[in-house]
Amino acid sequence: MERAAVFDVDGTLVDTNHLHVTTWWEALRQAGHQVPMHAVHRAIGLGSDDLVAHLLGEDRDKDQDDELSAAHKALYGQYFDRLPALQDAGRLLRHLDQEGWRVVLATSAGGAELSALRRAIGADEAIMATASADDVEEGKPAPEPVEHALELAGVPAERAVFVGDTVWDMQAGTRAGVRCVGVLCGGIPRADLEEAGAQAIYDDPAHLLASLADSPLA
């Protein structure tokens, strides 16, 4: 039977979480919102609409949401030509592909941002499909992004593993019924990932690659 290895991208394969923190903080600051960076960091991994709602609350001026998202995209877009892949991210995906796993990305990124992330990873030949923010109604922590990734792979949940770096990733994977693997390179504490459903945790893609034989991706 086929197996699916589903990966989050930001903070999991590409070292972008703190770029998102800085650019969201600046977009919010320009709009007159004083939000601590640690709060922004804990919201990274949510889609834009959900992130703004999480940080500013339901009683915010929702007419400002699109402007905030556009400002963040403009600020973050300045880094598209130099997004740094995490160590061995591409090697990990290529190795899993060679071992017969169907590798699928599940990310809140889309369009030019997703293209820039894939260029940074440099393993397009190993990626079977991508479930992006453009493809689903609800983003993480809803299970829909992971469920859509499984549909693209043609693999049932019990034959899949989801790798991510945030609480939102672990919650989405758990709700989709897949085994969840956490990585610490996005800056979220181990205990938080475990509480959200991570069955195994590694430092980063290089650590996971070196530990594959004893991992849920064995």
Side-chain angles (χ1 to χ4, degrees):
M1 292 180 65
E2 299 293 346
R3 305 172 294 175
V6 182
F7 283 85
D8 171 64
V9 181
D10 283 299
T12 300
L13 298 172
V14 189
D15 192 10
T16 49
N17 278 13
H18 290 88
L19 293 176
H20 278 298
V21 171
T22 301
T23 51
W24 270 116
W25 175 86
E26 177 61 17
L28 290 160
R29 188 198 67 79
Q30 289 178 3
H33 302 289
Q34 300 301 317
V35 180
M37 284 198 183
H38 71 84
V40 179
H41 180 216
R42 297 306 292 260
I44 298 301
L46 294 171
S48 294
D49 291 344
D50 292 332
L51 181 145
V52 172
H54 182 79
L55 292 174
L56 300 183
E58 291 301 324
D59 59 348
R60 70 192 184 282
D61 178 4
K62 296 180 182 178
D63 291 339
Q64 202 178 49
D65 287 8
D66 288 344
E67 295 176 14
L68 286 169
S69 181
H72 164 255
K73 285 180 180 179
L75 290 161
Y76 182 66
Q78 300 175 74
Y79 299 99
F80 279 1
D81 62 348
R82 54 193 188 280
L83 298 179
L86 285 153
Q87 183 180 354
D88 286 344
R91 285 185 60 204
L92 173 61
L93 301 192
R94 287 190 293 270
H95 181 84
L96 290 171
D97 175 59
Q98 291 163 6
E99 291 295 312
W101 289 83
R102 294 186 173 183
V103 178
V104 182
L105 306 182
T107 173
S108 58
E113 179 182 347
L114 178 57
S115 296
L117 291 165
R118 290 185 65 144
R119 286 196 301 272
I121 297 166
D124 272 357
E125 70 278 10
I127 299 170
M128 176 186 179
T130 300
S132 78
D134 303 327
D135 304 321
V136 297
E137 292 295 325
E138 285 191 271
K140 306 164 194 171
E144 190 177 349
V146 180
E147 292 170 344
H148 183 54
L150 298 181
E151 291 173 4
L152 293 172
V155 173
E158 61 269 19
R159 298 282 298 170
V161 176
F162 179 46
V163 183
D165 68 297
T166 68
V167 167
W168 320 116
D169 291 327
M170 299 302 100
Q171 290 176 349
T174 298
R175 291 168 182 171
V178 304
R179 290 170 291 167
C180 293
V181 170
V183 287
L184 299 173
C185 41
I188 301 303
R190 177 185 298 269
D192 292 5
L193 297 177
E194 289 176 338
E195 184 179 350
Q199 297 178 20
I201 296 180
Y202 301 89
D203 293 339
D204 53 21
H207 185 203
L208 176 54
L209 178 61
S211 308
L212 277 180
D214 299 315
S215 78
L217 287 157

mmCIF file of all heavy atoms in Angstrom, residues 109-156:
data_model
loop_
_atom_site.group_PDB
_atom_site.id
_atom_site.type_symbol
_atom_site.label_atom_id
_atom_site.label_comp_id
_atom_site.label_asym_id
_atom_site.label_seq_id
_atom_site.Cartn_x
_atom_site.Cartn_y
_atom_site.Cartn_z
ATOM 1 N N ALA A 109 0.547 28.916 2.607
ATOM 2 C CA ALA A 109 1.097 29.766 1.541
ATOM 3 C C ALA A 109 0.457 29.410 0.209
ATOM 4 O O ALA A 109 -0.005 28.288 -0.010
ATOM 5 C CB ALA A 109 2.606 29.600 1.461
ATOM 6 N N GLY A 110 0.468 30.368 -0.693
ATOM 7 C CA GLY A 110 -0.047 30.136 -2.036
ATOM 8 C C GLY A 110 0.621 31.088 -3.011
ATOM 9 O O GLY A 110 1.394 31.959 -2.621
ATOM 10 N N GLY A 111 0.358 30.918 -4.270
ATOM 11 C CA GLY A 111 0.831 31.828 -5.299
ATOM 12 C C GLY A 111 2.341 31.993 -5.326
ATOM 13 O O GLY A 111 3.101 31.041 -5.229
ATOM 14 N N ALA A 112 2.785 33.259 -5.448
ATOM 15 C CA ALA A 112 4.209 33.560 -5.561
ATOM 16 C C ALA A 112 4.972 33.145 -4.304
ATOM 17 O O ALA A 112 6.134 32.734 -4.380
ATOM 18 C CB ALA A 112 4.401 35.050 -5.830
ATOM 19 N N GLU A 113 4.315 33.239 -3.143
ATOM 20 C CA GLU A 113 4.977 32.853 -1.896
ATOM 21 C C GLU A 113 5.295 31.369 -1.902
ATOM 22 O O GLU A 113 6.412 30.956 -1.545
ATOM 23 C CB GLU A 113 4.080 33.192 -0.705
ATOM 24 C CG GLU A 113 4.681 32.794 0.640
ATOM 25 C CD GLU A 113 3.751 33.093 1.797
ATOM 26 O OE1 GLU A 113 2.760 33.828 1.606
ATOM 27 O OE2 GLU A 113 4.019 32.581 2.901
ATOM 28 N N LEU A 114 4.348 30.552 -2.312
ATOM 29 C CA LEU A 114 4.577 29.116 -2.372
ATOM 30 C C LEU A 114 5.674 28.772 -3.377
ATOM 31 O O LEU A 114 6.520 27.922 -3.119
ATOM 32 C CB LEU A 114 3.284 28.391 -2.727
ATOM 33 C CG LEU A 114 3.367 26.872 -2.865
ATOM 34 C CD1 LEU A 114 3.899 26.231 -1.599
ATOM 35 C CD2 LEU A 114 1.987 26.309 -3.212
ATOM 36 N N SER A 115 5.678 29.458 -4.508
ATOM 37 C CA SER A 115 6.730 29.233 -5.500
ATOM 38 C C SER A 115 8.106 29.544 -4.931
ATOM 39 O O SER A 115 9.079 28.813 -5.164
ATOM 40 C CB SER A 115 6.474 30.082 -6.747
ATOM 41 O OG SER A 115 5.272 29.698 -7.378
ATOM 42 N N ALA A 116 8.202 30.641 -4.165
ATOM 43 C CA ALA A 116 9.478 31.011 -3.549
ATOM 44 C C ALA A 116 9.918 29.967 -2.528
ATOM 45 O O ALA A 116 11.103 29.627 -2.433
ATOM 46 C CB ALA A 116 9.361 32.381 -2.893
ATOM 47 N N LEU A 117 8.972 29.436 -1.756
ATOM 48 C CA LEU A 117 9.297 28.399 -0.771
ATOM 49 C C LEU A 117 9.787 27.130 -1.457
ATOM 50 O O LEU A 117 10.764 26.512 -1.020
ATOM 51 C CB LEU A 117 8.068 28.102 0.087
ATOM 52 C CG LEU A 117 7.641 29.205 1.050
ATOM 53 C CD1 LEU A 117 6.228 28.959 1.566
ATOM 54 C CD2 LEU A 117 8.619 29.318 2.220
ATOM 55 N N ARG A 118 9.141 26.748 -2.535
ATOM 56 C CA ARG A 118 9.566 25.534 -3.254
ATOM 57 C C ARG A 118 10.942 25.725 -3.876
ATOM 58 O O ARG A 118 11.745 24.780 -3.899
ATOM 59 C CB ARG A 118 8.520 25.165 -4.303
ATOM 60 C CG ARG A 118 7.223 24.665 -3.689
ATOM 61 C CD ARG A 118 6.240 24.179 -4.737
ATOM 62 N NE ARG A 118 6.743 23.011 -5.447
ATOM 63 C CZ ARG A 118 5.965 22.008 -5.852
ATOM 64 N NH1 ARG A 118 4.664 22.024 -5.609
ATOM 65 N NH2 ARG A 118 6.482 20.993 -6.518
ATOM 66 N N ARG A 119 11.229 26.920 -4.363
ATOM 67 C CA ARG A 119 12.577 27.180 -4.885
ATOM 68 C C ARG A 119 13.608 27.038 -3.787
ATOM 69 O O ARG A 119 14.710 26.501 -4.005
ATOM 70 C CB ARG A 119 12.654 28.581 -5.504
ATOM 71 C CG ARG A 119 11.969 28.721 -6.846
ATOM 72 C CD ARG A 119 12.400 29.990 -7.561
ATOM 73 N NE ARG A 119 12.112 31.198 -6.795
ATOM 74 C CZ ARG A 119 10.956 31.859 -6.843
ATOM 75 N NH1 ARG A 119 9.963 31.418 -7.617
ATOM 76 N NH2 ARG A 119 10.786 32.961 -6.139
ATOM 77 N N ALA A 120 13.285 27.516 -2.592
ATOM 78 C CA ALA A 120 14.230 27.419 -1.471
ATOM 79 C C ALA A 120 14.499 25.968 -1.107
ATOM 80 O O ALA A 120 15.648 25.590 -0.841
ATOM 81 C CB ALA A 120 13.671 28.177 -0.264
ATOM 82 N N ILE A 121 13.462 25.149 -1.093
ATOM 83 C CA ILE A 121 13.632 23.736 -0.730
ATOM 84 C C ILE A 121 14.438 23.012 -1.792
ATOM 85 O O ILE A 121 15.292 22.174 -1.479
ATOM 86 C CB ILE A 121 12.254 23.070 -0.541
ATOM 87 C CG1 ILE A 121 11.497 23.721 0.614
ATOM 88 C CG2 ILE A 121 12.404 21.566 -0.291
ATOM 89 C CD1 ILE A 121 10.016 23.372 0.659
ATOM 90 N N GLY A 122 14.158 23.285 -3.052
ATOM 91 C CA GLY A 122 14.930 22.709 -4.141
ATOM 92 C C GLY A 122 14.750 21.208 -4.313
ATOM 93 O O GLY A 122 15.701 20.503 -4.638
ATOM 94 N N ALA A 123 13.532 20.718 -4.107
ATOM 95 C CA ALA A 123 13.281 19.283 -4.243
ATOM 96 C C ALA A 123 11.974 19.033 -4.982
ATOM 97 O O ALA A 123 11.228 18.107 -4.650
ATOM 98 C CB ALA A 123 13.261 18.625 -2.868
ATOM 99 N N ASP A 124 11.699 19.825 -6.001
ATOM 100 C CA ASP A 124 10.427 19.698 -6.706
ATOM 101 C C ASP A 124 10.205 18.296 -7.262
ATOM 102 O O ASP A 124 9.065 17.819 -7.331
ATOM 103 C CB ASP A 124 10.350 20.715 -7.845
ATOM 104 C CG ASP A 124 9.778 22.054 -7.388
ATOM 105 O OD1 ASP A 124 9.400 22.168 -6.218
ATOM 106 O OD2 ASP A 124 9.715 22.975 -8.220
ATOM 107 N N GLU A 125 11.292 17.635 -7.656
ATOM 108 C CA GLU A 125 11.147 16.306 -8.246
ATOM 109 C C GLU A 125 10.608 15.285 -7.253
ATOM 110 O O GLU A 125 10.072 14.236 -7.636
ATOM 111 C CB GLU A 125 12.494 15.813 -8.799
ATOM 112 C CG GLU A 125 13.549 15.460 -7.758
ATOM 113 C CD GLU A 125 14.320 16.647 -7.204
ATOM 114 O OE1 GLU A 125 13.925 17.804 -7.482
ATOM 115 O OE2 GLU A 125 15.316 16.407 -6.503
ATOM 116 N N ALA A 126 10.724 15.596 -5.948
ATOM 117 C CA ALA A 126 10.262 14.667 -4.908
ATOM 118 C C ALA A 126 8.856 14.989 -4.414
ATOM 119 O O ALA A 126 8.264 14.190 -3.689
ATOM 120 C CB ALA A 126 11.233 14.692 -3.729
ATOM 121 N N ILE A 127 8.322 16.151 -4.780
ATOM 122 C CA ILE A 127 7.026 16.600 -4.264
ATOM 123 C C ILE A 127 5.929 16.201 -5.239
ATOM 124 O O ILE A 127 5.880 16.684 -6.375
ATOM 125 C CB ILE A 127 7.030 18.122 -4.039
ATOM 126 C CG1 ILE A 127 8.103 18.502 -3.019
ATOM 127 C CG2 ILE A 127 5.651 18.593 -3.572
ATOM 128 C CD1 ILE A 127 8.355 19.998 -2.915
ATOM 129 N N MET A 128 5.058 15.311 -4.788
ATOM 130 C CA MET A 128 3.985 14.820 -5.651
ATOM 131 C C MET A 128 2.917 15.876 -5.868
ATOM 132 O O MET A 128 2.370 16.016 -6.971
ATOM 133 C CB MET A 128 3.365 13.574 -5.018
ATOM 134 C CG MET A 128 2.176 13.026 -5.758
ATOM 135 S SD MET A 128 1.381 11.678 -4.874
ATOM 136 C CE MET A 128 0.032 11.324 -6.005
ATOM 137 N N ALA A 129 2.569 16.608 -4.797
ATOM 138 C CA ALA A 129 1.470 17.569 -4.881
ATOM 139 C C ALA A 129 1.573 18.562 -3.734
ATOM 140 O O ALA A 129 2.328 18.352 -2.778
ATOM 141 C CB ALA A 129 0.122 16.852 -4.842
ATOM 142 N N THR A 130 0.784 19.627 -3.832
ATOM 143 C CA THR A 130 0.744 20.648 -2.781
ATOM 144 C C THR A 130 -0.700 21.026 -2.485
ATOM 145 O O THR A 130 -1.461 21.341 -3.399
ATOM 146 C CB THR A 130 1.515 21.905 -3.205
ATOM 147 O OG1 THR A 130 2.883 21.566 -3.450
ATOM 148 C CG2 THR A 130 1.461 22.960 -2.117
ATOM 149 N N ALA A 131 -1.060 20.971 -1.226
ATOM 150 C CA ALA A 131 -2.347 21.471 -0.766
ATOM 151 C C ALA A 131 -2.103 22.860 -0.182
ATOM 152 O O ALA A 131 -1.544 22.994 0.907
ATOM 153 C CB ALA A 131 -2.938 20.534 0.291
ATOM 154 N N SER A 132 -2.483 23.880 -0.905
ATOM 155 C CA SER A 132 -2.186 25.256 -0.491
ATOM 156 C C SER A 132 -3.423 25.933 0.072
ATOM 157 O O SER A 132 -4.533 25.390 0.047
ATOM 158 C CB SER A 132 -1.652 26.061 -1.673
ATOM 159 O OG SER A 132 -2.706 26.462 -2.523
ATOM 160 N N ALA A 133 -3.232 27.148 0.557
ATOM 161 C CA ALA A 133 -4.338 27.932 1.106
ATOM 162 C C ALA A 133 -5.405 28.197 0.058
ATOM 163 O O ALA A 133 -6.570 28.421 0.390
ATOM 164 C CB ALA A 133 -3.803 29.251 1.653
ATOM 165 N N ASP A 134 -5.014 28.161 -1.215
ATOM 166 C CA ASP A 134 -5.956 28.434 -2.291
ATOM 167 C C ASP A 134 -6.935 27.279 -2.511
ATOM 168 O O ASP A 134 -7.936 27.434 -3.211
ATOM 169 C CB ASP A 134 -5.197 28.697 -3.600
ATOM 170 C CG ASP A 134 -4.206 29.836 -3.482
ATOM 171 O OD1 ASP A 134 -4.492 30.781 -2.720
ATOM 172 O OD2 ASP A 134 -3.158 29.781 -4.137
ATOM 173 N N ASP A 135 -6.657 26.121 -1.908
ATOM 174 C CA ASP A 135 -7.412 24.908 -2.215
ATOM 175 C C ASP A 135 -8.449 24.534 -1.163
ATOM 176 O O ASP A 135 -9.197 23.573 -1.362
ATOM 177 C CB ASP A 135 -6.449 23.717 -2.370
ATOM 178 C CG ASP A 135 -5.387 23.957 -3.423
ATOM 179 O OD1 ASP A 135 -5.724 24.550 -4.465
ATOM 180 O OD2 ASP A 135 -4.221 23.563 -3.203
ATOM 181 N N VAL A 136 -8.474 25.222 -0.036
ATOM 182 C CA VAL A 136 -9.336 24.797 1.076
ATOM 183 C C VAL A 136 -10.166 25.964 1.593
ATOM 184 O O VAL A 136 -9.808 27.128 1.434
ATOM 185 C CB VAL A 136 -8.497 24.201 2.234
ATOM 186 C CG1 VAL A 136 -7.773 22.940 1.770
ATOM 187 C CG2 VAL A 136 -7.506 25.213 2.778
ATOM 188 N N GLU A 137 -11.280 25.623 2.230
ATOM 189 C CA GLU A 137 -12.145 26.637 2.825
ATOM 190 C C GLU A 137 -11.622 27.079 4.189
ATOM 191 O O GLU A 137 -11.677 28.259 4.542
ATOM 192 C CB GLU A 137 -13.563 26.074 2.974
ATOM 193 C CG GLU A 137 -14.278 25.838 1.658
ATOM 194 C CD GLU A 137 -14.558 27.113 0.886
ATOM 195 O OE1 GLU A 137 -14.837 28.141 1.544
ATOM 196 O OE2 GLU A 137 -14.492 27.088 -0.351
ATOM 197 N N GLU A 138 -11.127 26.122 4.970
ATOM 198 C CA GLU A 138 -10.628 26.403 6.312
ATOM 199 C C GLU A 138 -9.177 25.960 6.433
ATOM 200 O O GLU A 138 -8.828 24.854 6.030
ATOM 201 C CB GLU A 138 -11.454 25.664 7.368
ATOM 202 C CG GLU A 138 -12.815 26.247 7.631
ATOM 203 C CD GLU A 138 -13.450 25.616 8.856
ATOM 204 O OE1 GLU A 138 -14.119 24.593 8.704
ATOM 205 O OE2 GLU A 138 -13.256 26.147 9.975
ATOM 206 N N GLY A 139 -8.346 26.826 6.997
ATOM 207 C CA GLY A 139 -6.949 26.477 7.212
ATOM 208 C C GLY A 139 -6.757 25.796 8.555
ATOM 209 O O GLY A 139 -7.689 25.575 9.321
ATOM 210 N N LYS A 140 -5.501 25.436 8.841
ATOM 211 C CA LYS A 140 -5.162 24.862 10.136
ATOM 212 C C LYS A 140 -5.556 25.848 11.250
ATOM 213 O O LYS A 140 -5.469 27.047 11.039
ATOM 214 C CB LYS A 140 -3.654 24.588 10.208
ATOM 215 C CG LYS A 140 -3.103 23.736 9.080
ATOM 216 C CD LYS A 140 -1.582 23.856 9.041
ATOM 217 C CE LYS A 140 -1.024 23.315 7.750
ATOM 218 N NZ LYS A 140 0.417 23.605 7.594
ATOM 219 N N PRO A 141 -6.042 25.354 12.388
ATOM 220 C CA PRO A 141 -6.004 23.979 12.896
ATOM 221 C C PRO A 141 -7.142 23.082 12.435
ATOM 222 O O PRO A 141 -7.261 21.970 12.932
ATOM 223 C CB PRO A 141 -6.073 24.185 14.408
ATOM 224 C CG PRO A 141 -6.909 25.411 14.567
ATOM 225 C CD PRO A 141 -6.530 26.300 13.414
ATOM 226 N N ALA A 142 -7.999 23.541 11.512
ATOM 227 C CA ALA A 142 -8.986 22.643 10.925
ATOM 228 C C ALA A 142 -8.255 21.532 10.167
ATOM 229 O O ALA A 142 -7.155 21.743 9.661
ATOM 230 C CB ALA A 142 -9.908 23.413 9.989
ATOM 231 N N PRO A 143 -8.847 20.357 10.070
ATOM 232 C CA PRO A 143 -8.161 19.237 9.418
ATOM 233 C C PRO A 143 -8.137 19.320 7.904
ATOM 234 O O PRO A 143 -7.431 18.546 7.253
ATOM 235 C CB PRO A 143 -8.975 18.018 9.878
ATOM 236 C CG PRO A 143 -10.348 18.563 10.119
ATOM 237 C CD PRO A 143 -10.134 19.955 10.662
ATOM 238 N N GLU A 144 -8.888 20.256 7.313
ATOM 239 C CA GLU A 144 -9.070 20.273 5.863
ATOM 240 C C GLU A 144 -7.766 20.304 5.060
ATOM 241 O O GLU A 144 -7.654 19.581 4.049
ATOM 242 C CB GLU A 144 -9.967 21.452 5.459
ATOM 243 C CG GLU A 144 -10.407 21.399 4.012
ATOM 244 C CD GLU A 144 -11.356 22.529 3.640
ATOM 245 O OE1 GLU A 144 -11.837 23.231 4.553
ATOM 246 O OE2 GLU A 144 -11.602 22.698 2.439
ATOM 247 N N PRO A 145 -6.744 21.111 5.434
ATOM 248 C CA PRO A 145 -5.512 21.087 4.638
ATOM 249 C C PRO A 145 -4.854 19.709 4.601
ATOM 250 O O PRO A 145 -4.355 19.281 3.549
ATOM 251 C CB PRO A 145 -4.615 22.113 5.346
ATOM 252 C CG PRO A 145 -5.562 23.040 6.023
ATOM 253 C CD PRO A 145 -6.699 22.169 6.477
ATOM 254 N N VAL A 146 -4.845 19.015 5.724
ATOM 255 C CA VAL A 146 -4.237 17.680 5.768
ATOM 256 C C VAL A 146 -5.107 16.680 5.013
ATOM 257 O O VAL A 146 -4.606 15.832 4.258
ATOM 258 C CB VAL A 146 -4.020 17.229 7.219
ATOM 259 C CG1 VAL A 146 -3.380 15.839 7.270
ATOM 260 C CG2 VAL A 146 -3.145 18.241 7.964
ATOM 261 N N GLU A 147 -6.408 16.768 5.188
ATOM 262 C CA GLU A 147 -7.322 15.870 4.476
ATOM 263 C C GLU A 147 -7.195 16.048 2.966
ATOM 264 O O GLU A 147 -7.205 15.070 2.207
ATOM 265 C CB GLU A 147 -8.760 16.126 4.925
ATOM 266 C CG GLU A 147 -9.027 15.707 6.368
ATOM 267 C CD GLU A 147 -10.365 16.165 6.897
ATOM 268 O OE1 GLU A 147 -10.990 17.070 6.269
ATOM 269 O OE2 GLU A 147 -10.799 15.652 7.934
ATOM 270 N N HIS A 148 -7.061 17.304 2.528
ATOM 271 C CA HIS A 148 -6.892 17.556 1.091
ATOM 272 C C HIS A 148 -5.566 16.984 0.596
ATOM 273 O O HIS A 148 -5.499 16.415 -0.505
ATOM 274 C CB HIS A 148 -6.968 19.053 0.807
ATOM 275 C CG HIS A 148 -6.874 19.391 -0.645
ATOM 276 N ND1 HIS A 148 -7.705 18.843 -1.604
ATOM 277 C CD2 HIS A 148 -6.025 20.210 -1.329
ATOM 278 C CE1 HIS A 148 -7.388 19.319 -2.796
ATOM 279 N NE2 HIS A 148 -6.372 20.140 -2.652
ATOM 280 N N ALA A 149 -4.522 17.115 1.402
ATOM 281 C CA ALA A 149 -3.228 16.527 1.030
ATOM 282 C C ALA A 149 -3.343 15.018 0.857
ATOM 283 O O ALA A 149 -2.766 14.436 -0.071
ATOM 284 C CB ALA A 149 -2.181 16.870 2.089
ATOM 285 N N LEU A 150 -4.096 14.366 1.739
ATOM 286 C CA LEU A 150 -4.282 12.916 1.637
ATOM 287 C C LEU A 150 -5.072 12.556 0.386
ATOM 288 O O LEU A 150 -4.781 11.544 -0.272
ATOM 289 C CB LEU A 150 -4.997 12.390 2.876
ATOM 290 C CG LEU A 150 -4.277 12.577 4.215
ATOM 291 C CD1 LEU A 150 -5.099 11.989 5.353
ATOM 292 C CD2 LEU A 150 -2.892 11.935 4.184
ATOM 293 N N GLU A 151 -6.047 13.383 0.035
ATOM 294 C CA GLU A 151 -6.802 13.150 -1.198
ATOM 295 C C GLU A 151 -5.879 13.236 -2.407
ATOM 296 O O GLU A 151 -5.959 12.414 -3.335
ATOM 297 C CB GLU A 151 -7.924 14.178 -1.327
ATOM 298 C CG GLU A 151 -9.051 14.010 -0.321
ATOM 299 C CD GLU A 151 -10.043 15.162 -0.380
ATOM 300 O OE1 GLU A 151 -9.885 16.031 -1.259
ATOM 301 O OE2 GLU A 151 -10.964 15.195 0.457
ATOM 302 N N LEU A 152 -5.005 14.226 -2.417
ATOM 303 C CA LEU A 152 -4.064 14.382 -3.529
ATOM 304 C C LEU A 152 -3.122 13.189 -3.619
ATOM 305 O O LEU A 152 -2.752 12.758 -4.719
ATOM 306 C CB LEU A 152 -3.270 15.673 -3.358
ATOM 307 C CG LEU A 152 -4.060 16.978 -3.470
ATOM 308 C CD1 LEU A 152 -3.182 18.164 -3.090
ATOM 309 C CD2 LEU A 152 -4.618 17.156 -4.885
ATOM 310 N N ALA A 153 -2.730 12.654 -2.463
ATOM 311 C CA ALA A 153 -1.823 11.511 -2.446
ATOM 312 C C ALA A 153 -2.540 10.197 -2.721
ATOM 313 O O ALA A 153 -1.901 9.203 -3.082
ATOM 314 C CB ALA A 153 -1.117 11.435 -1.094
ATOM 315 N N GLY A 154 -3.867 10.179 -2.515
ATOM 316 C CA GLY A 154 -4.610 8.944 -2.681
ATOM 317 C C GLY A 154 -4.291 7.920 -1.614
ATOM 318 O O GLY A 154 -4.248 6.717 -1.867
ATOM 319 N N VAL A 155 -4.077 8.429 -0.384
ATOM 320 C CA VAL A 155 -3.640 7.577 0.732
ATOM 321 C C VAL A 155 -4.565 7.818 1.925
ATOM 322 O O VAL A 155 -4.882 8.969 2.233
ATOM 323 C CB VAL A 155 -2.181 7.909 1.111
ATOM 324 C CG1 VAL A 155 -1.753 7.162 2.367
ATOM 325 C CG2 VAL A 155 -1.244 7.560 -0.054
ATOM 326 N N PRO A 156 -5.005 6.753 2.619
ATOM 327 C CA PRO A 156 -5.846 6.941 3.802
ATOM 328 C C PRO A 156 -5.043 7.467 4.984
ATOM 329 O O PRO A 156 -3.813 7.348 5.036
ATOM 330 C CB PRO A 156 -6.370 5.532 4.086
ATOM 331 C CG PRO A 156 -5.327 4.626 3.534
ATOM 332 C CD PRO A 156 -4.783 5.317 2.312
#
